[in-house]
Amino acid sequence: MSTSVDRIKNVCVVGAGQMGIGIGLVAARVAKLNVQFIDSSPAQLTKGLEFLDKLLVKDVAKGRYTEQVRDEVKSRITTATSISQMSSADFVIEAVSENADLKRKIFAELSNQLPPSTILATNTSSISITKIASAAKLPEKVIGMHFMNPVPVMKLVEIIPGLQTSEETLSTTLALAQKMGKTTTMSQDVPGFIANRLLMPYINEAVIALQEGIATKEDIDMTMKLGTNNPMGPLTLADFIGLDTCLAIMKVLHTELGDTKYRPAVLLQKYVDAGWLGVKSGRGIYDYSAKM
């Protein structure tokens, strides 16, 4: 008996950054779907595909997949530099930066380009799904699908229906996440959802502790790593997420909830102003230049 997810053969991922590439890789490798990456920057598409290839090569080297599987995954992947060049898509996952205006612009363009049957998901980690959906012609087809980084490793996907999201859109999205090998949780459409409502204030407080000289960055991380059995400390984690992303989410929490406890750390803003964004830029709270 066929289900609504069975009709999904072609997935489009808008944004070829680390998150977008990870999402597309899992869709192509685990769910065996055709994937098209859309990014306005040809250089970013090239960089993203190189990153994807490195992940596949590593999997083959570790014996997780054969070279034949790697070649099959790569054969399912295509690219384009604009939404107007998009081929047929049954399901779209937007994975651009945390900017509400940019996301709304993209969803308006997607609505004009794609048939009414296409589901439009956003990978936002904090912005209102209802607000993004209002830019689409069919807001009932819009939903939040928040993957965790790194996507090929992390098992969880937060599913967030907006005020307008239909039951069919929700059930299809849940089924697709499961087809991609993910475990799902569901959150109300509130700032930060579940994960970042809890995680980002924790990271922000760690930056404040560093800012106030309570301890060194190494001791803050070591305390939380060994003292609370976390795989990495909050400052290291912030660098892996991206300090610009952490700042953007904290600003959403502070603006939307209006509570001073969500006010971003001054030092966090300074790091972002300096271009020290974490691992991806070669420097953040820690220095990664030697590994670049």
Side-chain angles (χ1 to χ4, degrees):
M1 181 178 177
S2 65
T3 63
S4 56
V5 77
D6 292 332
R7 70 172 180 81
I8 297 174
K9 308 296 183 185
N10 303 297
V11 170
C12 176
V13 179
V14 182
Q18 187 175 1
M19 286 298 295
I21 290 295
I23 293 166
L25 173 58
V26 172
R29 185 176 62 189
V30 180
K32 297 180 172 56
L33 300 171
N34 298 317
V35 175
Q36 184 175 41
F37 292 107
I38 307 286
D39 199 295
S40 59
S41 168
Q44 183 60 52
L45 281 172
T46 300
K47 181 180 178 181
L49 291 179
E50 288 174 352
F51 176 62
L52 183 147
D53 196 49
K54 284 181 182 178
L55 293 176
L56 289 172
V57 168
K58 186 183 293 185
D59 282 343
V60 171
K62 291 186 175 182
R64 294 171 183 158
Y65 296 95
T66 64
E67 290 189 4
Q68 180 182 348
V69 171
R70 180 192 66 186
D71 293 341
E72 287 173 358
V73 170
K74 293 175 74 172
S75 73
R76 298 185 188 112
I77 293 171
T78 59
T79 63
T81 54
S82 73
I83 289 172
S84 62
Q85 298 171 347
M86 184 184 293
S87 57
S88 60
D90 306 308
F91 200 103
V92 177
I93 304 171
E94 166 272 310
V96 302
S97 57
E98 285 292 275
N99 181 307
D101 291 338
L102 175 60
K103 290 180 186 290
R104 284 171 53 81
K105 178 177 180 290
I106 288 170
F107 274 72
E109 288 183 41
L110 290 169
S111 289
N112 290 326
Q113 177 73 17
L114 295 166
S117 59
T118 303
I119 291 175
L120 309 178
T122 173
N123 183 54
T124 182
S125 54
S126 61
I127 298 170
S128 166
I129 308 304
T130 300
K131 184 175 183 179
I132 294 171
S134 67
K137 283 184 177 178
L138 296 172
E140 64 269 26
K141 289 289 186 177
V142 177
I143 194 166
M145 197 177 191
H146 178 212
F147 290 82
M148 306 294 152
N149 189 32
V151 179
V153 176
M154 302 297 280
K155 293 293 186 183
L156 185 72
V157 178
E158 279 183 309
I159 304 297
I160 311 99
L163 185 64
Q164 316 96 315
T165 304
S166 70
E167 284 297 323
E168 182 184 5
T169 297
L170 174 58
S171 63
T172 302
T173 304
L174 287 167
L176 177 61
Q178 290 162 8
K179 189 173 182 179
M180 292 171 70
K182 301 301 183 184
T183 298
T184 58
T185 56
M186 196 155 66
S187 170
Q188 293 293 318
D189 185 19
V190 295
F193 316 131
I194 303 168
N196 283 327
R197 183 71 171 268
L198 301 174
L199 176 63
M200 286 302 155
Y202 161 64
I203 287 175
N204 192 59
E205 195 63 35
V207 178
I208 291 172
L210 179 63
Q211 172 185 301
E212 294 181 355
I214 293 172
T216 64
K217 56 183 179 286
E218 292 85 2
D219 281 351
I220 291 169
D221 274 354
M222 190 66 72
T223 297
M224 298 312 295
K225 183 177 179 181
L226 300 184
T228 63
N229 202 29
N230 282 310
M232 66 176 69
L235 300 177
T236 299
L237 179 57
D239 274 351
F240 273 89
I241 293 170
L243 301 186
D244 53 337
T245 300
C246 294
L247 178 62
I249 295 169
M250 286 306 302
K251 285 182 174 179
V252 169
L253 293 175
H254 188 224
T255 300
E256 297 295 326
L257 298 173
D259 194 319
T260 56
K261 72 180 181 180
Y262 298 114
R263 184 167 54 213
V266 172
L267 184 58
L268 181 59
Q269 180 71 65
K270 284 185 176 180
Y271 278 124
V272 174
D273 289 345
W276 297 356
L277 308 181
V279 175
K280 62 186 175 184
S281 68
R283 183 164 183 175
I285 296 170
Y286 292 92
D287 189 347
Y288 304 92
S289 56
K291 299 179 182 178
M292 297 295 283

PDB file of all heavy atoms in Angstrom, residues 119-141:
ATOM      1  N   ILE A 119       5.915  20.060  -1.191  1.00  0.00           N
ATOM      2  CA  ILE A 119       6.042  20.488   0.206  1.00  0.00           C
ATOM      3  C   ILE A 119       7.310  21.317   0.351  1.00  0.00           C
ATOM      4  O   ILE A 119       8.368  20.955  -0.184  1.00  0.00           O
ATOM      5  CB  ILE A 119       6.063  19.273   1.149  1.00  0.00           C
ATOM      6  CG1 ILE A 119       4.688  18.604   1.152  1.00  0.00           C
ATOM      7  CG2 ILE A 119       6.464  19.678   2.571  1.00  0.00           C
ATOM      8  CD1 ILE A 119       4.625  17.312   1.953  1.00  0.00           C
ATOM      9  N   LEU A 120       7.216  22.423   1.079  1.00  0.00           N
ATOM     10  CA  LEU A 120       8.337  23.333   1.279  1.00  0.00           C
ATOM     11  C   LEU A 120       8.728  23.314   2.752  1.00  0.00           C
ATOM     12  O   LEU A 120       7.961  23.760   3.616  1.00  0.00           O
ATOM     13  CB  LEU A 120       7.963  24.759   0.859  1.00  0.00           C
ATOM     14  CG  LEU A 120       7.348  24.925  -0.541  1.00  0.00           C
ATOM     15  CD1 LEU A 120       6.989  26.389  -0.779  1.00  0.00           C
ATOM     16  CD2 LEU A 120       8.310  24.433  -1.609  1.00  0.00           C
ATOM     17  N   ALA A 121       9.903  22.787   3.044  1.00  0.00           N
ATOM     18  CA  ALA A 121      10.386  22.708   4.424  1.00  0.00           C
ATOM     19  C   ALA A 121      11.529  23.693   4.630  1.00  0.00           C
ATOM     20  O   ALA A 121      12.324  23.933   3.725  1.00  0.00           O
ATOM     21  CB  ALA A 121      10.852  21.291   4.750  1.00  0.00           C
ATOM     22  N   THR A 122      11.606  24.244   5.818  1.00  0.00           N
ATOM     23  CA  THR A 122      12.729  25.100   6.182  1.00  0.00           C
ATOM     24  C   THR A 122      13.534  24.449   7.296  1.00  0.00           C
ATOM     25  O   THR A 122      12.972  23.875   8.225  1.00  0.00           O
ATOM     26  CB  THR A 122      12.267  26.504   6.623  1.00  0.00           C
ATOM     27  OG1 THR A 122      13.407  27.240   7.134  1.00  0.00           O
ATOM     28  CG2 THR A 122      11.198  26.442   7.710  1.00  0.00           C
ATOM     29  N   ASN A 123      14.848  24.553   7.178  1.00  0.00           N
ATOM     30  CA  ASN A 123      15.743  24.008   8.191  1.00  0.00           C
ATOM     31  C   ASN A 123      16.071  25.051   9.262  1.00  0.00           C
ATOM     32  O   ASN A 123      17.022  24.882  10.024  1.00  0.00           O
ATOM     33  CB  ASN A 123      17.043  23.512   7.531  1.00  0.00           C
ATOM     34  CG  ASN A 123      17.993  22.855   8.514  1.00  0.00           C
ATOM     35  OD1 ASN A 123      17.625  21.931   9.232  1.00  0.00           O
ATOM     36  ND2 ASN A 123      19.225  23.348   8.573  1.00  0.00           N
ATOM     37  N   THR A 124      15.285  26.111   9.338  1.00  0.00           N
ATOM     38  CA  THR A 124      15.547  27.122  10.361  1.00  0.00           C
ATOM     39  C   THR A 124      15.634  26.496  11.743  1.00  0.00           C
ATOM     40  O   THR A 124      14.920  25.540  12.058  1.00  0.00           O
ATOM     41  CB  THR A 124      14.476  28.226  10.359  1.00  0.00           C
ATOM     42  OG1 THR A 124      14.815  29.207  11.358  1.00  0.00           O
ATOM     43  CG2 THR A 124      13.092  27.682  10.669  1.00  0.00           C
ATOM     44  N   SER A 125      16.520  27.066  12.553  1.00  0.00           N
ATOM     45  CA  SER A 125      16.691  26.549  13.908  1.00  0.00           C
ATOM     46  C   SER A 125      16.042  27.446  14.953  1.00  0.00           C
ATOM     47  O   SER A 125      16.121  27.154  16.144  1.00  0.00           O
ATOM     48  CB  SER A 125      18.185  26.403  14.219  1.00  0.00           C
ATOM     49  OG  SER A 125      18.869  27.623  13.983  1.00  0.00           O
ATOM     50  N   SER A 126      15.383  28.537  14.508  1.00  0.00           N
ATOM     51  CA  SER A 126      14.802  29.441  15.507  1.00  0.00           C
ATOM     52  C   SER A 126      13.677  30.323  14.989  1.00  0.00           C
ATOM     53  O   SER A 126      12.861  30.809  15.760  1.00  0.00           O
ATOM     54  CB  SER A 126      15.899  30.348  16.085  1.00  0.00           C
ATOM     55  OG  SER A 126      16.487  31.141  15.070  1.00  0.00           O
ATOM     56  N   ILE A 127      13.617  30.574  13.679  1.00  0.00           N
ATOM     57  CA  ILE A 127      12.673  31.550  13.123  1.00  0.00           C
ATOM     58  C   ILE A 127      11.276  30.938  12.995  1.00  0.00           C
ATOM     59  O   ILE A 127      11.117  29.760  12.676  1.00  0.00           O
ATOM     60  CB  ILE A 127      13.170  32.059  11.759  1.00  0.00           C
ATOM     61  CG1 ILE A 127      14.523  32.769  11.929  1.00  0.00           C
ATOM     62  CG2 ILE A 127      12.168  33.007  11.117  1.00  0.00           C
ATOM     63  CD1 ILE A 127      15.224  33.096  10.626  1.00  0.00           C
ATOM     64  N   SER A 128      10.265  31.750  13.209  1.00  0.00           N
ATOM     65  CA  SER A 128       8.877  31.299  13.162  1.00  0.00           C
ATOM     66  C   SER A 128       8.518  30.652  11.823  1.00  0.00           C
ATOM     67  O   SER A 128       8.671  31.267  10.763  1.00  0.00           O
ATOM     68  CB  SER A 128       7.948  32.485  13.415  1.00  0.00           C
ATOM     69  OG  SER A 128       6.617  32.170  13.074  1.00  0.00           O
ATOM     70  N   ILE A 129       8.020  29.416  11.872  1.00  0.00           N
ATOM     71  CA  ILE A 129       7.557  28.722  10.672  1.00  0.00           C
ATOM     72  C   ILE A 129       6.329  29.432  10.108  1.00  0.00           C
ATOM     73  O   ILE A 129       6.180  29.583   8.898  1.00  0.00           O
ATOM     74  CB  ILE A 129       7.215  27.245  10.989  1.00  0.00           C
ATOM     75  CG1 ILE A 129       8.377  26.558  11.707  1.00  0.00           C
ATOM     76  CG2 ILE A 129       6.844  26.504   9.710  1.00  0.00           C
ATOM     77  CD1 ILE A 129       9.697  26.598  10.992  1.00  0.00           C
ATOM     78  N   THR A 130       5.472  29.884  10.996  1.00  0.00           N
ATOM     79  CA  THR A 130       4.261  30.593  10.581  1.00  0.00           C
ATOM     80  C   THR A 130       4.601  31.850   9.789  1.00  0.00           C
ATOM     81  O   THR A 130       3.969  32.152   8.764  1.00  0.00           O
ATOM     82  CB  THR A 130       3.425  30.962  11.825  1.00  0.00           C
ATOM     83  OG1 THR A 130       3.061  29.757  12.509  1.00  0.00           O
ATOM     84  CG2 THR A 130       2.178  31.737  11.449  1.00  0.00           C
ATOM     85  N   LYS A 131       5.624  32.567  10.240  1.00  0.00           N
ATOM     86  CA  LYS A 131       6.055  33.790   9.544  1.00  0.00           C
ATOM     87  C   LYS A 131       6.634  33.475   8.169  1.00  0.00           C
ATOM     88  O   LYS A 131       6.322  34.146   7.184  1.00  0.00           O
ATOM     89  CB  LYS A 131       7.091  34.530  10.394  1.00  0.00           C
ATOM     90  CG  LYS A 131       7.543  35.858   9.815  1.00  0.00           C
ATOM     91  CD  LYS A 131       8.474  36.576  10.788  1.00  0.00           C
ATOM     92  CE  LYS A 131       8.872  37.947  10.245  1.00  0.00           C
ATOM     93  NZ  LYS A 131       9.758  38.665  11.220  1.00  0.00           N
ATOM     94  N   ILE A 132       7.468  32.434   8.092  1.00  0.00           N
ATOM     95  CA  ILE A 132       8.037  32.036   6.800  1.00  0.00           C
ATOM     96  C   ILE A 132       6.933  31.559   5.864  1.00  0.00           C
ATOM     97  O   ILE A 132       6.904  31.913   4.680  1.00  0.00           O
ATOM     98  CB  ILE A 132       9.092  30.925   7.004  1.00  0.00           C
ATOM     99  CG1 ILE A 132      10.302  31.475   7.780  1.00  0.00           C
ATOM    100  CG2 ILE A 132       9.548  30.344   5.664  1.00  0.00           C
ATOM    101  CD1 ILE A 132      11.293  30.414   8.219  1.00  0.00           C
ATOM    102  N   ALA A 133       6.001  30.775   6.401  1.00  0.00           N
ATOM    103  CA  ALA A 133       4.919  30.207   5.583  1.00  0.00           C
ATOM    104  C   ALA A 133       4.022  31.280   4.980  1.00  0.00           C
ATOM    105  O   ALA A 133       3.460  31.090   3.896  1.00  0.00           O
ATOM    106  CB  ALA A 133       4.085  29.242   6.425  1.00  0.00           C
ATOM    107  N   SER A 134       3.889  32.405   5.669  1.00  0.00           N
ATOM    108  CA  SER A 134       2.998  33.458   5.169  1.00  0.00           C
ATOM    109  C   SER A 134       3.479  34.059   3.852  1.00  0.00           C
ATOM    110  O   SER A 134       2.716  34.733   3.165  1.00  0.00           O
ATOM    111  CB  SER A 134       2.843  34.563   6.220  1.00  0.00           C
ATOM    112  OG  SER A 134       4.064  35.255   6.405  1.00  0.00           O
ATOM    113  N   ALA A 135       4.738  33.821   3.479  1.00  0.00           N
ATOM    114  CA  ALA A 135       5.266  34.323   2.203  1.00  0.00           C
ATOM    115  C   ALA A 135       4.944  33.386   1.047  1.00  0.00           C
ATOM    116  O   ALA A 135       5.120  33.745  -0.121  1.00  0.00           O
ATOM    117  CB  ALA A 135       6.774  34.514   2.311  1.00  0.00           C
ATOM    118  N   ALA A 136       4.472  32.180   1.353  1.00  0.00           N
ATOM    119  CA  ALA A 136       4.185  31.185   0.324  1.00  0.00           C
ATOM    120  C   ALA A 136       2.729  31.278  -0.129  1.00  0.00           C
ATOM    121  O   ALA A 136       1.857  31.699   0.625  1.00  0.00           O
ATOM    122  CB  ALA A 136       4.475  29.787   0.858  1.00  0.00           C
ATOM    123  N   LYS A 137       2.478  30.864  -1.358  1.00  0.00           N
ATOM    124  CA  LYS A 137       1.112  30.872  -1.881  1.00  0.00           C
ATOM    125  C   LYS A 137       0.228  29.879  -1.135  1.00  0.00           C
ATOM    126  O   LYS A 137      -0.961  30.120  -0.913  1.00  0.00           O
ATOM    127  CB  LYS A 137       1.123  30.516  -3.381  1.00  0.00           C
ATOM    128  CG  LYS A 137       1.570  31.641  -4.295  1.00  0.00           C
ATOM    129  CD  LYS A 137       1.448  31.213  -5.744  1.00  0.00           C
ATOM    130  CE  LYS A 137       1.831  32.346  -6.686  1.00  0.00           C
ATOM    131  NZ  LYS A 137       1.752  31.920  -8.106  1.00  0.00           N
ATOM    132  N   LEU A 138       0.830  28.745  -0.772  1.00  0.00           N
ATOM    133  CA  LEU A 138       0.091  27.704  -0.050  1.00  0.00           C
ATOM    134  C   LEU A 138       0.793  27.447   1.284  1.00  0.00           C
ATOM    135  O   LEU A 138       1.585  26.500   1.415  1.00  0.00           O
ATOM    136  CB  LEU A 138       0.028  26.416  -0.882  1.00  0.00           C
ATOM    137  CG  LEU A 138      -0.727  26.496  -2.212  1.00  0.00           C
ATOM    138  CD1 LEU A 138      -0.550  25.207  -3.012  1.00  0.00           C
ATOM    139  CD2 LEU A 138      -2.208  26.773  -1.967  1.00  0.00           C
ATOM    140  N   PRO A 139       0.524  28.269   2.282  1.00  0.00           N
ATOM    141  CA  PRO A 139       1.208  28.112   3.567  1.00  0.00           C
ATOM    142  C   PRO A 139       0.954  26.777   4.239  1.00  0.00           C
ATOM    143  O   PRO A 139       1.756  26.351   5.079  1.00  0.00           O
ATOM    144  CB  PRO A 139       0.670  29.273   4.405  1.00  0.00           C
ATOM    145  CG  PRO A 139      -0.587  29.715   3.729  1.00  0.00           C
ATOM    146  CD  PRO A 139      -0.396  29.428   2.280  1.00  0.00           C
ATOM    147  N   GLU A 140      -0.117  26.108   3.867  1.00  0.00           N
ATOM    148  CA  GLU A 140      -0.392  24.787   4.446  1.00  0.00           C
ATOM    149  C   GLU A 140       0.634  23.740   3.996  1.00  0.00           C
ATOM    150  O   GLU A 140       0.746  22.667   4.598  1.00  0.00           O
ATOM    151  CB  GLU A 140      -1.805  24.316   4.087  1.00  0.00           C
ATOM    152  CG  GLU A 140      -2.062  24.098   2.611  1.00  0.00           C
ATOM    153  CD  GLU A 140      -2.603  25.336   1.895  1.00  0.00           C
ATOM    154  OE1 GLU A 140      -2.338  26.468   2.350  1.00  0.00           O
ATOM    155  OE2 GLU A 140      -3.300  25.147   0.874  1.00  0.00           O
ATOM    156  N   LYS A 141       1.402  24.066   2.954  1.00  0.00           N
ATOM    157  CA  LYS A 141       2.433  23.163   2.440  1.00  0.00           C
ATOM    158  C   LYS A 141       3.804  23.441   3.048  1.00  0.00           C
ATOM    159  O   LYS A 141       4.805  22.838   2.641  1.00  0.00           O
ATOM    160  CB  LYS A 141       2.515  23.281   0.915  1.00  0.00           C
ATOM    161  CG  LYS A 141       1.327  22.699   0.169  1.00  0.00           C
ATOM    162  CD  LYS A 141       1.337  21.178   0.251  1.00  0.00           C
ATOM    163  CE  LYS A 141       0.262  20.555  -0.600  1.00  0.00           C
ATOM    164  NZ  LYS A 141       0.341  19.075  -0.555  1.00  0.00           N
TER     165      LYS A 141
END
